[in-house]
Amino acid sequence: MTDSISGDGRDYEVRNPEKLASLKNLLLRKADDEREVILESARKEAASWLEEQNSALDRMVEQIHAEAVKRAEEISKRQISGAEMNRTKDRLRLQNSLLDEAISMLQKELAAIREKPSYSSVLTGLALEASEKLPSGTAVKIQLAQEDESLGEDLAARLAGMRPELVVSFDHDPAPILGGVWLSAQDGSWRAPADWREIISEVKDPLAERILNIL
C-alpha cells in the first residue's frame, strides 16, 4: 500500500509498511477461508462417492453370497437324497465340503471383478473406506496384487485427491493377495487390509451357519 506526494511536478509513492502488512494478512485469511471451503466440499463429495461405492460393493458381495448359498443347497439336495447318514458327523463333514466349495466360488467371483470396467472404482472405494479412520498427516502406502500394478499410481492419485490431508504413495512391490487393496504404514507398523481374503473372512461364518441350517 502506498501514499502519494507531489514535488517538482511529479508524483512519488511512499510505501506504508503497516498498510502492506494489513493487506497481506487480509489476503492470507481470505486464502485460508477459501481453502477450507474447497476442502470441505471435497470431503463431502468423497463421502458421497464412498457411500455409493460401498453400497455397490455390498450388493455385489451379497449377490455372490446368495449364489454360493443357492449352489450349496443344490449340492446338499443331491448328496443327501436317498442316503441314510449318521446325522451329526455327516452333517459337519458335508457342511465343510459345501463351505469349501462356496468359498472357492466366492473367490472366483471376486477375482472376476478384475475384468469389469468398474474395477478401478471398486479399488478406490475399498482404499477410501480403509483410510477412513486414519488421522490427518498419516503417510499411507498402497499395495496391490501383482496383476493390478498398472492401476497403482492412478489409485494413489485418486485417494490423495479425496483425502488430501494424507500423504499417499504407491508401493510397486506386490501384496500377496488375490485382489483388492492393502493400505499400510511406510515402516510396516500397521496395515489396513481391504482385499478379497478380508471380505471372504467376514462372510465365512454367516455362510457356514446358513449352509448348516439347510442340511
Side-chain angles (χ1 to χ4, degrees):
M1 185 69 67
T2 60
D3 293 329
S4 297
I5 60 175
S6 298
D8 66 7
R10 290 181 296 177
D11 289 338
Y12 292 86
E13 292 183 341
V14 178
R15 297 188 179 279
N16 187 322
E18 292 182 359
K19 290 184 178 180
L20 285 174
S22 177
L23 177 59
K24 180 181 178 181
N25 290 335
L26 179 63
L27 292 174
L28 288 174
R29 284 197 301 271
K30 183 178 180 181
D32 286 341
D33 291 342
E34 290 177 350
R35 176 176 175 274
E36 286 302 318
V37 170
I38 293 172
L39 283 177
E40 182 61 26
S41 176
R43 291 190 188 99
K44 289 181 179 179
E45 289 181 10
S48 176
W49 187 90
L50 176 59
E51 185 177 355
E52 292 177 4
Q53 292 300 317
N54 285 342
S55 296
L57 188 60
D58 287 343
R59 288 194 300 270
M60 177 191 65
V61 171
E62 179 57 31
Q63 182 180 359
I64 294 172
H65 182 268
E67 287 295 325
V69 171
K70 181 180 178 181
R71 174 66 173 155
E73 289 175 344
E74 293 172 353
I75 296 172
S76 172
K77 289 176 182 178
R78 289 201 306 268
Q79 292 191 10
I80 66 175
S81 61
E84 292 296 330
M85 297 181 176
N86 180 318
R87 295 297 295 171
T88 302
K89 183 192 297 184
D90 288 343
R91 279 182 74 216
L92 292 176
R93 185 185 299 119
L94 183 55
Q95 179 201 27
N96 291 333
S97 174
L98 294 176
L99 181 60
D100 288 344
E101 183 166 344
I103 292 301
S104 176
M105 187 193 322
L106 184 57
Q107 288 176 341
K108 290 178 182 178
E109 292 291 340
L110 288 170
I113 299 174
R114 181 176 285 120
E115 308 303 323
K116 297 183 178 182
S118 60
Y119 185 52
S120 60
S121 293
V122 170
L123 290 179
T124 305
L126 290 170
L128 190 57
E129 183 177 21
S131 72
E132 206 169 20
K133 296 181 180 179
L134 298 178
S136 178
T138 301
V140 179
K141 177 177 67 176
I142 292 177
Q143 285 180 280
L144 300 175
Q146 186 171 4
E147 298 87 339
D148 300 329
E149 183 181 1
S150 62
L151 304 174
E153 295 292 350
D154 180 63
L155 175 59
R158 286 191 184 192
L159 182 59
M162 294 177 177
R163 292 292 309 274
E165 69 276 19
L166 301 179
V167 181
V168 184
S169 63
F170 174 58
D171 186 347
H172 288 270
D173 289 335
I177 56 178
L178 299 171
V181 60
W182 272 6
L183 266 59
S184 59
Q186 296 291 343
D187 59 3
S189 58
W190 58 263
R191 177 177 295 146
D195 61 292
W196 300 157
R197 187 179 293 116
E198 188 72 13
I199 289 176
I200 289 171
S201 69
E202 292 176 359
V203 303
K204 187 173 182 178
D205 287 344
L207 180 57
E209 184 177 351
R210 289 181 67 177
I211 290 175
L212 187 60
N213 288 336
I214 66 176
L215 297 179

